[in-house]
């Protein structure tokens, strides 16, 4: 069964850091580009970042450029999101998402990140 | 880069059809045939319904269909069922420098 499982969420103070992980199973990880998408409480979905199959190319939404870094380890079947300089407005459920033909076909269940003092 | 505009709400009775619009710009919806639609039941993972404007992944009922004209994409849900009540989001590729942009979402109510 194709699965994505996020971990690493939690409570962090403004200005702090967190590293999210996404473990994949059921498909050949290195065959797919990957993304992170988030949903703040009461808000809509927001695409955050994309990484190519081999990890050589990344794209970020303006609101996280310079603060968040996407990476992957194909040998481990894992996707990561390093989040620095966190702000209250980064509070959200963060989803790991597989890319398929410029769409998002497989989603994890999400991990909650709360930024609060 | 601003989000494509969706109506905040839509509704219909069981068996009816409803269409949700997604209006962007020539830099996103109008510029690429990479518009997708997602169904999101609160507390669950979003599910892709349509990709590349009008293609359905396997397992998605043909009651769901997509189209695009100019800068506006549309999702039509035919033969409404109670389980269709959910939030619906459009999403468009916006170029290799900008990535993707989601619409603001539409809450569909089945009366």
């Amino acid at each position: 069964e194709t699965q994505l499982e996020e971990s690493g969420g939690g409570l962090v103070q403004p200005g702090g850091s967190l590293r999210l992980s996404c473990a994949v199973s059921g498909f050949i990880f290195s065959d797919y580009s990957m993304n992170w998408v988030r949903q703040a409480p009461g808000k809509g979905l927001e695409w955050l970042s994309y990484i190519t199959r081999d990890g050589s190319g990344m794209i970020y939404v303006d609101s996280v450029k310079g603060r968040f870094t996407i990476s992957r380890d194909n040998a481990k079947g894992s996707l990561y999101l390093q989040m620095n300089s966190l702000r209250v407005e980064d509070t959200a459920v963060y989803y790991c998402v597989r890319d398929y033909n410029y769409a998002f076909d497989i989603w994890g269940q999400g991990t909650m990140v709360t930024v609060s003092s | 880069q601003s989000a494509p505009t969706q109506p905040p709400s839509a509704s219909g009775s069981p068996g009816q059809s409803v269409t949700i619009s997604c209006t962007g710009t020539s830099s996103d919806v109008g510029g690429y045939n990479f518009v997708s639609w997602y169904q999101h039941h609160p507390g669950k993972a979003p599910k892709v319904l349509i990709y590349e404007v009008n293609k359905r992944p396997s397992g998605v009922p043909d009651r769901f269909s997509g189209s695009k004209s100019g800068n506006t994409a549309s999702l039509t849900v035919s033969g409404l069922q109670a389980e269709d009540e959910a939030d619906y989001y459009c999403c468009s590729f916006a170029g290799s420098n900008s990535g993707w942009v989601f619409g603001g979402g539409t809450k569909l109510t089945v009366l």
Side-chain angles (χ1 to χ4, degrees):
Chain A
E1 183 184 2
T2 299
Q3 277 191 319
L4 306 175
E5 185 171 357
E6 304 92 340
S7 60
L11 175 64
V12 62
Q13 292 188 336
S17 297
L18 272 181
R19 188 195 197 205
L20 305 183
S21 299
C22 172
V24 314
S25 59
F27 65 97
I28 300 173
F29 184 55
S30 58
D31 282 352
Y32 292 87
S33 299
M34 298 293 294
N35 298 267
W36 287 98
V37 174
R38 72 183 176 186
Q39 184 176 36
K43 303 293 186 181
L45 299 173
E46 180 184 25
W47 171 82
L48 294 180
S49 185
Y50 160 94
I51 188 166
T52 55
R53 287 175 292 178
D54 64 358
S56 64
M58 293 81 84
I59 314 174
Y60 299 92
V61 70
D62 285 348
S63 60
V64 308
K65 276 180 187 173
R67 300 189 300 124
F68 290 10
T69 302
I70 191 172
S71 63
R72 65 190 296 162
D73 186 331
N74 285 346
K76 293 184 177 179
S78 293
L79 177 72
Y80 306 102
L81 186 67
Q82 177 67 43
M83 304 187 296
N84 298 330
S85 303
L86 282 162
R87 305 167 180 168
V88 171
E89 55 265 34
D90 293 319
T91 295
V93 175
Y94 285 72
Y95 294 99
C96 167
V97 188
R98 191 176 81 171
D99 185 273
Y100 176 75
N101 288 11
Y102 294 83
F104 310 126
D105 69 334
I106 305 294
W107 296 63
Q109 287 300 310
T111 186
M112 182 71 201
V113 172
T114 302
V115 185
S116 174
S117 55
Chain B
Q1 165 182 352
S2 56
T5 300
Q6 296 181 232
S9 63
S11 63
S13 299
Q16 289 186 332
S17 295
V18 64
T19 296
I20 298 171
S21 62
C22 169
T23 301
T25 70
S26 58
S27 296
D28 42 61
V29 175
Y32 304 92
N33 285 325
F34 295 127
V35 176
S36 50
W37 288 89
Y38 302 85
Q39 178 189 62
H40 190 199
H41 289 102
K44 299 184 70 175
K47 173 186 175 183
V48 61
L49 299 173
I50 298 289
Y51 68 100
E52 290 182 6
V53 176
N54 56 15
K55 296 179 180 178
R56 267 188 317 275
S58 61
V60 174
D62 60 6
R63 302 188 297 106
F64 295 92
S65 62
S67 63
K68 191 184 87 167
S69 177
N71 294 339
T72 298
S74 299
L75 172 73
T76 297
V77 186
S78 305
L80 272 174
Q81 299 179 4
E83 57 262 37
D84 297 334
E85 187 161 294
D87 296 321
Y88 291 81
Y89 295 90
C90 66
C91 184
S92 177
F93 182 64
S96 56
N97 290 326
S98 301
W100 284 258
V101 61
F102 279 95
T106 297
K107 182 175 182 59
L108 175 61
T109 300
V110 181
L111 302 171

